[in-house]
Each structure stands twice: as C-alpha cells, then as structure tokens.
Amino acid sequence: MMQIAAFFLVLIIAVTGSSPASAHRPYFTQVEKIQLPSGEMGEARLLNGDGILGPDPVRVIIVDAHGRLLARSHKTRSMVLSCWEVRRCLIFDFSAGKILDPTPSSFRSGPIVPGLSDHERDGLWELENGLENWGFSRRDPSFREKLLGYQAMLSDKIPEVVFSVVIGALCALLGAGVIVIKRQPRRRYFETFMAALAIFLILGMGLFLILVSGFFGLLGGLTLAPWLISVCLGGGLVFGGTLIRKWIRTQTSFQ
C-alpha cells in the first residue's frame, strides 16, 4: 500500500510542478499523401500537442501542395491515420468512436503550415491551439473500418501493447501465488496471520501493477479496449502455459 501511495504522490507532484513553460512544442507524428478534389496532391498530417501527464492531444489537418491549410479537425486523445491509396485514407477518432471524412465543400484556404523539420515546430503553436475545426464530417465506422482502425492502432502502439501483456502476465503469476498460499495447511494463528499478510501484499502489488499499466497505456495513446485486451492476453498466456504444463505432466505419468 505504501507503494501505491508513493505512486499517486509522484503524480500529484508532477501535476502541481508542471507549467506551460515546460510544455513541449507541437509536432507531427504522421504524414500521408492524399489526392485533393482538384486533382492535385496534398497531405494529411497528425498534429500533436502536449498532454502533460495524459496522452498528447491530436488532430488531423489537410494541406494542399503548397502547404496551405485546407481542413483542421477537432482535438482528441487517440486518432489513427491510415492510407493505402492516394484517394483512400482512414481517419479514425478512437476517443469518440467516429470516422472523419474530408468534406471538400467546407474546406478553407488557410495559412501556410510550417514544414516538418524540427526548427519549424515553433510555428505550430497557433495551429495546434484552439477549438475551431472545419473540413471534416463525422460518422459511425463500419465493421471493416473498425478492424482496419484497430489494426493500424496496434501496429503503431507495439511497445505499449507488449508492456501491458507483460503486466498482465505478472498479475497472473501473482494470482497463482495467492492460490498457492491459500492451499497451504496452517495450524497456528501466527501462520494464518502471515499468510493473510502475504496475500494482502501480493494483491496490493497486483493493483499497483495494473495502475502503472493503465497509466502508461493511456499516456501512450491506447484506448480502454486494446489496453484491457492486452492485459488479459498476458494473463491468458500464463494460464494457458499452466494448463499445458499440467497436461504434459499427466501424459508423462501415464507412460
């Protein structure tokens, strides 16, 4: 329990000690070529801000061949941009569960967007700030679009997924330890007390690991469903490995 309290203490100190001056500059994480209604080639870009302790907010923008802003979406926590043809791009806002479709009729001729080099990032503050958005319409995704969106998200968040799987496996091992302790015979009150204390500490450690996994999964841009599936997958691998080992032992005993 002391570890859990220390974890939240660190979070509180980090929040109270943060300031706008320490915020990192906006940045682009993905740039895809897209053909505009006029026939010329433009770009769709994911523009990220600074989420301090949470995931960096992200919005998608569309620029023309000269880098002029045409469309700017709303901010969200998790967004996927996946293009497989110049005319076919999937823009999936996972936080809202909506597909964003470019709407040429609402495009605007905005300012020139700074380039992709690091020294141009200071010019992205005004573009990243604010709530105004235009050039996109929102709709519900089809089943195929959901599959494509989650596939793109997971391929982009492999480190976060692997970390969550490992945490799930560790939690499963801790659960197995609790089962072993509960099954051991005890004849003295002191033994019962020590067993209860050990179980309490193990469960506290498991809760601490889940909180850490959820925090870093959220920080890395995973939404609830992929994070939960990753954790359960780690636990399932341990459980499956245990069943396989028992089956092998049973088969060996019969020989």
Side-chain angles (χ1 to χ4, degrees), residues 72-121:
R72 186 178 90 151
S73 77
H74 61 286
K75 283 185 181 180
T76 187
R77 290 192 304 106
S78 180
M79 184 175 291
V80 166
L81 170 62
S82 178
C83 297
W84 56 95
E85 296 177 11
V86 293
R87 291 180 179 273
R88 301 288 301 277
C89 285
L90 177 70
I91 306 173
F92 200 148
D93 177 2
F94 277 98
S95 299
K98 297 291 185 180
I99 295 291
L100 302 185
D101 290 324
T103 309
S105 60
S106 61
F107 281 2
R108 301 182 186 178
S109 182
I112 297 295
V113 176
L116 306 177
S117 60
D118 183 71
H119 72 275
E120 296 178 278
R121 287 172 58 188

Side-chain angles (χ1 to χ4, degrees), residues 153-225:
M153 173 194 244
L154 294 178
S155 63
D156 187 52
K157 306 294 183 183
I158 291 179
E160 290 82 1
V161 171
V162 171
F163 179 73
S164 299
V165 170
V166 171
I167 293 298
L170 290 176
C171 289
L173 291 174
L174 290 176
V178 169
I179 294 175
V180 171
I181 293 174
K182 289 183 64 176
R183 289 179 175 177
Q184 290 179 346
R186 287 174 289 276
R187 299 180 180 179
R188 302 178 181 178
Y189 288 113
F190 178 74
E191 293 176 347
T192 302
F193 171 78
M194 293 303 296
L197 179 61
I199 291 174
F200 178 76
L201 292 176
I202 291 174
L203 292 178
M205 178 59 69
L207 177 61
F208 172 73
L209 291 176
I210 290 295
L211 290 174
V212 170
S213 174
F215 174 74
F216 284 104
L218 177 67
L219 190 67
L222 283 180
T223 53
L224 178 61

Side-chain angles (χ1 to χ4, degrees), residues 112-133:
I112 297 295
V113 176
L116 306 177
S117 60
D118 183 71
H119 72 275
E120 296 178 278
R121 287 172 58 188
D122 286 332
L124 295 174
W125 284 110
E126 185 176 353
L127 179 62
E128 196 278 333
N129 287 330
L131 300 176
E132 188 179 10
N133 61 89

